Every structure is written in C-alpha cells, then in structure tokens.
Amino acid sequence: MAIAASTCCFSVLTSSVKFCCYSSPQHRLLSSHRTIGSVASNAINHKRRPSKRGSSSSIDKANRDKEGASHYKSPGKSKDERYYSCGDGGERGKAQSIAYKSFGMQSRDKKEHQAEAGNLQEAAFLNAVVKVYCTHTAPDYSLPWQKQRQYTSTGSAFMIGNGKLLTNAHCVEYDTQVKVKRRGDDTKYVAKVLARGVDCDIALLSIENEEFWEGSEPLHFGRLPRLQDAVTVVGYPLGGDTISVTKGVVSRIEVTSYAHGSSDLLGIQIDAAINPGNSGGPAFNDHGECIGVAFQVYRSEEAENIGYVIPTTVVSHFLDDYERNGKYTGFPCLGVLLQKLENPALRACLKVQSNEGVLVRRVEPTSDANNVLKEGDVIVSFDDVHVGCEGTVPFRSNERIAFRYLISQKFAGDVAELGIIRAGSFMKVKVVLNPRVHLVPYHVDGSQPSYIIIAGLVFTPLSEPLIDEECEDSIGLKLLAKARYTLAKFKGEQIVILSQVLANEVNIGYEDMSNQQVLKFNGTRIKNIHHLAYLFDSCKDRYLVFEFEDNYIAVMEREAASASASYILRDYGIPSERSPDLSEPYADSPSDKQVIEHDPLGDSPVSNLEIGLDGLLWA
C-alpha cells in the first residue's frame, strides 16, 4: 500500500520533539518541511490541562511537526488519487503583465535574458534569490490564552521589484519575525509581511532598508511552460548554507491540491529535486525567466521526484488581488457540489441532449449560487465556455482543463454567467463569486484563537488546527462528522465547543464534559463565540444554563460564576477571561438573523479531499 505525503518545503530548525496526527489511513496531503533533530520521534498528543502557574510546561507540545503546519486531514481518499489533467494558455498574458508591472516587473524577451547552461553559476538572476530566516510564535489552540514555544525555520524568497519579495505563505505563518539574507552577504535584513495568501500559499514581503536593494535586479516572469520544458529550481535547502540549484523537466500541468491552503489551483509538476528549505524559491526556464514558486512535494513508496511549483498565473492573481484591494481577499468559488455526467442514461433522464454538462448535487447556503441554482440543474457553460461531461473545458491545443480552473481565474465579487439546463429547458443565469465560507476553518486568522472562560468552562470555536492538536480520537466522532459534513448556513457561523473544564467549586460535576458542542445559552441558540460572549455579558437571569449536544445540560448560579472568575484566572495563571476580539461590541450581521434549530449532517463531505468518488467534486 502506498503511503504518500504532499509536503511543503521549508526547513525547521529546532531540537524539540514534534508531532502531527494524520487521519487518512492511506495518503497524507500536507505542507512539508524539514525538521532538524526532531523527525525521528513520534509522540501521542494527550489531552492537556493547564498548569497552575501557566508555565511553559503546560505547552510542551508547542512545536507541532511543521510537516503538518497547514495540513488538511481526511479520513477518506486523498485528492491525489483523482487529479484532472489540464493546461493553460496565453490568454492571461496581458493581465499578468499589468500585475507584474505594478510591482516593477516585466516579461523579458527570451534572447535578452537567456542564460547558457554552462554559465549558470554566474547568471545574474541567481542573485535575486535570498534566504529567509523566520522565528515563529504559534498559538496554542487547546490553551488559547497561551503561545507555543518559539521555533525557527529557513526558506527561500526572491525579488520582484519595488522593494518587494515573494515567498510561500507557510514559510511566514503565525506571529513571525522574518529576516532575509542575500547571496554572498553576511547581513540579515528585517522583512515585513504585507500579505499572506493561505489558499495559494504565497506571501508578499517588503524590506525598507535601501542597503539591501543596492545592485539588485528583480526576476522576470515567463509564461506557463510546456510539457518536457527544462526547469531549474533555485533556493536554500538542507545540506548546506549556500545557494542550491537542481534541474529537471516539466512533468505535468494540472489543477493540484495545495497542501497548505487545502485548495485546488493550477500547479506545475516537475521532477527536479525540491527539498526542505526550497519553499518560496523560484523555478526558472532555460531563458532565466521565473515560471513559478516551489512549494510542495509528493512523497510515496511508489513514486519519486514529484515536486510542485506555483505557476505565474496563480502568482499574477495574488499580486493583482493585492493591488486591487490593498490586501489579499482570496480565490473565489462557485459553491456547488458537482457530479460528472458520463452516463448516457443519466443525461437522458436529465433531458441533456448532448455529451456535456455537470450535475449540481448540492449548493452551499452561504454562496450566491444558492439564490440562483437548484439541485438537479446541469451546468453546461461557464462564461460561454462549454463544460464537458467529465467536468473539463477545452484549453490550449489538444488539452482540457478542470472546470473549476475557470472559476479560479475570477476575483472575489466578479460575476460569472452560467448556461444551465433545468427540467430540459436551457437558460442563462448570473452568479456572484466569493471566497468560500468554512464552518470549521482550516486556518485561524490573527495571532490568537478566540475563547471565553465562564466559571472555569473554556469555550472556543472548533477549527482544524484545534482538531490537529487534540487528536481526532479526543475530539469525538460527532464533532468530526459535523466538521466534515456540515456547511455553514450564514457567514460568521461557528461550532462553539467546550474545549476543557478548569475544575473549581462552581463547576463541580462538569469536569468530564470537554469537547462537546454548546448549542444554547439560556434558551438562545448560539451562532458563534462572539454571540456567546454577548449573551453572557447581557444575562440578568439567576442561572446560567448551557445546553450541549446529546441533550446534556450544565447550570450554574450567575453571581457565583462571576465571583469565581478572578481566582480561576489567578490559580491557573491565565491573563484574561476572554480573547481581545471578544471585548469588541457584538452586532448581528444581516445574514445570520435566522438560525436553523437543527444541524442535520449533509449527505457528502464539505471538502474535495474527503470525497471518495471520482465523479463528485466541489467547485
């Protein structure tokens, strides 16, 4: 049985033991990087209680295995088993040029910048590749008022002009101090993280010190390569401190699972060696043009030399998004679960006359498509591009690309025109595309998870990082099922759980209630953690009544609960009863005025990585 792992490559320098649990029995799709002095051991991540002093001993699991820093775990089949072959063309060349020029970049004539193979060591573009040194302070999701132990990592980055550099988002995650060093220089310069695109695994850095830029020349971007084109990967991987160069060819170009962002975007597969520390480094063609950013590898007992590069089309989208909005807003989605229509009888039943289209099986309540599309609709075109029965569209010569690639070329707020067949009738509808709303997020924005402590009961939103820290066995099957199968019904909805109980005289008898979802507070259904804090602050009742799943109930006197707050914080060494974001005023958004009383599980997983059938796919 093949054991595979798709991993992001930057080096983690630490002597601490690191651990990451994987829920998939066969495959692992995750961000990988090297761990020095720590990858030899595995540990079991037991449920932890805070120490009385809140000391570092209560967070000994601090340095999770950085191979799992951005992973998405799936109990089902990995997305790697059902990639769709696709290609790209030059249609986005003009848009790319606009985005690049805004950062001082231009595409260069091939003859002007061609590097001879025998003179690669002296090629000027190598000097644009720098080494990145990061010090990370990761949040502790199980003890959300604390931080984990700091760890350091190294990666790669490259200059793109106007005082900016590009690297991978997973290289600079969490509260990170970033420094960079140029080739042949002993001075490290402080860099500022301007934007992080988690879904596309790209980060934009800036360096204000003008000394760093003296004599520098930014890289020039090329177009998407062809199969078997030569490729050179440059960076600072393990094995030494100086710059490293590896060569290979382009093996495949298709929509690829991005391990760090748990997203599906265009990717370039190459056979050039990509090792821990290469993350964020550029990949070049024979003309010295950058064709993408190295970011992950695929590890398997049955496969070798499978590395992945983020193509310039994705880089262009990231930079253009940042320029448009002054921040990164993310790649949009359509918000529908689609099924292939390869079977003739199925097409005939749906009154689809031609060999085309994909069937809408589920629509996300938070998407604009929920106002336009219905289950049973057949999407036959996207912006007048015909969609085949396998969910692909024509692109480039003799190639087809996954239909969702067209969606990824849009920006948040863009409108797409869909041609659909509904009950045998053809019609066109327009849908606004926006980033997907996750009920259980894969990444938590900000430097600290949200939490509130009420009489020793610690409440926090359920998230994938929390599931990783607690291990799936301790989280429980019911919460895992909700995380995997339940869609958000409105923007801002969260699954709020009782993560642990800080034992005291007020909560006697409730010590074993941890890792349960809290559904209601004093009869009001809870929408998110901020809503719970608001309900608690405005409560005037004598009792605090919490209703949990499985009809479990916890009741405490309000005055006694309020009086216990100070000594609970003192005894457990906790600085505050709530995270800073919960001190902000709470206001209902228009989208969450109505809350459904019951949370039935969906019929299919909410992520492509968990769908076990080749014919189903979220777009």
Side-chain angles (χ1 to χ4, degrees):
M1 179 183 297
I3 305 296
S6 179
T7 57
C8 298
C9 300
F10 74 93
S11 303
V12 179
L13 311 178
T14 176
S15 59
S16 303
V17 174
K18 300 181 185 286
F19 169 75
C20 174
C21 58
Y22 306 99
S23 59
S24 174
Q26 296 184 9
H27 290 76
R28 304 172 186 171
L29 183 61
L30 53 144
S31 299
S32 89
H33 12 265
R34 117 179 186 258
T35 320
I36 297 181
S38 64
V39 295
S41 29
N42 290 329
I44 298 178
N45 182 17
H46 295 290
K47 177 73 176 175
R48 295 169 297 153
R49 301 287 183 184
S51 66
K52 288 279 184 177
R53 299 180 301 275
S55 64
S56 60
S57 62
S58 65
I59 52 171
D60 281 340
K61 185 192 162 293
N63 278 332
R64 292 183 300 143
D65 187 348
K66 294 314 296 168
E67 290 191 358
S70 59
H71 43 295
Y72 175 74
K73 282 25 147 239
S74 162
K77 194 164 28 171
S78 168
K79 178 69 175 60
D80 293 297
E81 297 177 301
R82 42 193 165 78
Y83 284 163
Y84 295 89
S85 60
C86 64
D88 193 7
E91 296 299 324
R92 297 234 350 133
K94 184 176 180 180
Q96 288 184 49
S97 179
I98 294 174
Y100 296 153
K101 288 179 180 179
S102 66
F103 286 87
M105 299 177 291
Q106 292 182 356
S107 296
R108 224 183 231 193
D109 187 282
K110 293 182 178 180
K111 295 181 179 179
E112 181 183 351
H113 200 58
Q114 188 165 358
E116 296 180 4
N119 198 30
L120 186 61
Q121 177 66 23
E122 303 301 325
F125 60 79
L126 293 184
N127 295 325
V129 186
V130 302
K131 189 169 184 177
V132 179
Y133 299 83
C134 296
T135 302
H136 307 264
T137 307
D140 191 315
Y141 296 94
S142 298
L143 308 176
W145 53 87
Q146 297 189 156
K147 296 285 189 179
Q148 297 189 23
R149 289 176 180 170
Q150 287 187 342
Y151 64 91
T152 59
S153 68
T154 63
S156 305
F158 59 93
M159 305 175 186
I160 61 172
N162 284 352
K164 306 294 191 300
L165 302 107
L166 279 183
T167 186
N168 284 143
H170 71 260
C171 291
V172 294
E173 63 183 346
Y174 308 130
D175 282 345
T176 305
Q177 181 191 69
V178 183
K179 295 182 179 180
V180 300
K181 185 174 72 173
R182 289 182 59 176
R183 180 189 182 197
D185 192 353
D186 286 334
T187 304
K188 297 178 183 177
Y189 297 86
V190 176
K192 179 182 178 181
V193 180
L194 298 179
R196 290 180 65 245
V198 173
D199 51 359
C200 60
D201 203 1
I202 302 175
L204 182 66
L205 311 179
S206 68
I207 298 178
E208 297 180 356
N209 195 319
E210 294 182 358
E211 293 182 1
F212 175 83
W213 300 100
E214 290 181 0
S216 65
E217 182 178 351
L219 294 185
H220 301 271
F221 284 79
R223 297 183 183 275
L224 197 70
R226 298 280 179 173
L227 297 181
Q228 294 187 330
D229 280 359
V231 61
T232 301
V233 176
V234 180
Y236 293 86
L238 61 84
D241 294 326
T242 58
I243 200 166
S244 169
V245 177
T246 58
K247 290 188 174 184
V249 298
V250 174
S251 307
R252 181 182 293 151
I253 301 175
E254 65 178 2
V255 174
T256 302
S257 291
Y258 279 45
H260 182 68
S262 298
S263 54
D264 298 327
L265 298 170
L266 192 69
I268 302 173
Q269 179 184 321
I270 63 175
D271 66 356
I274 295 179
N275 294 303
N278 272 123
S279 275
F284 297 97
N285 59 21
D286 271 349
H287 309 288
E289 298 170 330
C290 177
I291 62 167
V293 186
F295 76 114
Q296 68 183 27
V297 296
Y298 181 84
R299 304 209 183 274
S300 170
E301 294 177 352
E302 300 176 353
E304 296 179 351
N305 301 330
I306 299 180
Y308 292 94
V309 172
I310 303 171
T312 53
T313 52
V314 177
V315 175
S316 171
H317 191 287
F318 170 84
L319 296 177
D320 203 355
D321 188 356
Y322 180 78
E323 282 294 291
R324 288 184 179 195
N325 304 289
K327 62 180 181 180
Y328 178 71
T329 62
F331 282 78
C333 72
L334 184 58
V336 294
L337 178 67
L338 302 174
Q339 179 179 339
K340 296 179 181 180
L341 290 182
E342 298 177 274
N343 187 276
L346 178 57
R347 292 197 299 270
C349 177
L350 296 170
K351 300 180 181 179
V352 178
Q353 303 300 323
S354 57
N355 186 21
E356 62 180 356
V358 284
L359 175 63
V360 175
R361 295 295 298 131
R362 195 176 180 189
V363 185
E364 293 189 7
T366 56
S367 68
D368 184 63
N370 191 49
N371 303 318
V372 179
L373 298 177
K374 299 179 180 180
E375 293 185 14
D377 287 347
V378 177
I379 300 176
V380 296
S381 68
F382 183 94
D383 283 345
D384 292 327
V385 178
H386 290 284
V387 180
C389 65
E390 289 190 334
T392 61
V393 294
F395 212 73
R396 232 159 52 164
S397 59
N398 300 321
E399 292 179 287
R400 294 189 69 85
I401 187 172
F403 158 58
R404 60 193 184 280
Y405 172 72
L406 299 182
I407 303 172
S408 71
Q409 297 304 287
K410 298 283 190 176
F411 291 88
D414 285 356
V415 177
E417 185 178 68
L418 303 179
I420 66 172
I421 296 177
R422 178 178 296 169
S425 300
F426 175 80
M427 64 182 70
K428 286 193 173 183
V429 296
K430 293 185 177 181
V431 178
V432 180
L433 304 176
N434 286 299
R436 192 177 190 188
V437 176
H438 295 283
L439 179 62
V440 179
Y442 300 125
H443 296 269
V444 177
D445 295 332
S447 60
Q448 183 180 29
S450 300
Y451 75 91
I452 183 170
I453 302 174
I454 303 174
L457 306 184
V458 181
F459 298 98
T460 190
L462 183 65
S463 65
E464 287 294 339
L466 177 60
I467 293 175
D468 296 339
E469 283 196 6
E470 291 295 310
C471 291
E472 295 185 352
D473 289 342
S474 64
I475 286 292
L477 181 60
K478 181 168 290 188
L479 278 180
L480 283 177
K482 287 189 175 183
R484 305 294 189 243
Y485 285 83
T486 306
L487 295 171
K489 292 177 284 296
F490 55 86
K491 187 176 182 180
E493 184 183 12
Q494 295 175 327
I495 295 178
V496 181
I497 69 169
L498 173 61
S499 64
Q500 58 183 293
V501 179
L502 309 179
N504 62 85
E505 61 184 15
V506 180
N507 58 38
I508 293 176
Y510 304 142
E511 294 86 351
D512 297 326
M513 289 175 52
S514 59
N515 287 332
Q516 291 194 58
Q517 181 183 5
V518 54
L519 301 177
K520 294 182 180 181
F521 176 81
N522 283 12
T524 301
R525 191 167 184 84
I526 296 170
K527 303 172 183 178
N528 50 50
I529 188 70
H530 209 153
H531 186 221
L532 173 60
Y534 166 76
L535 293 175
F536 170 69
D537 292 339
S538 58
C539 178
K540 304 298 182 182
D541 298 338
R542 179 180 178 181
Y543 295 103
L544 307 179
V545 182
F546 299 91
E547 295 180 47
F548 297 88
E549 58 185 354
D550 296 332
N551 296 315
Y552 206 90
I553 189 172
V555 179
M556 292 170 286
E557 289 190 355
R558 178 174 58 84
E559 293 184 358
S562 299
S564 68
S566 59
Y567 70 78
I568 290 175
L569 298 181
R570 182 195 64 218
D571 290 348
Y572 286 93
I574 301 173
S576 176
E577 67 174 357
R578 67 184 66 190
S579 55
D581 60 311
L582 299 188
S583 298
E584 300 292 330
Y586 172 77
D588 274 345
S589 63
S591 60
D592 63 359
K593 294 293 184 182
Q594 295 181 349
V595 181
I596 299 175
E597 284 295 314
H598 301 285
D599 290 320
L601 297 181
D603 297 326
S604 58
V606 299
S607 167
N608 284 336
L609 295 180
E610 297 172 325
I611 295 176
L613 298 175
D614 186 51
L616 286 175
L617 197 69
W618 281 102

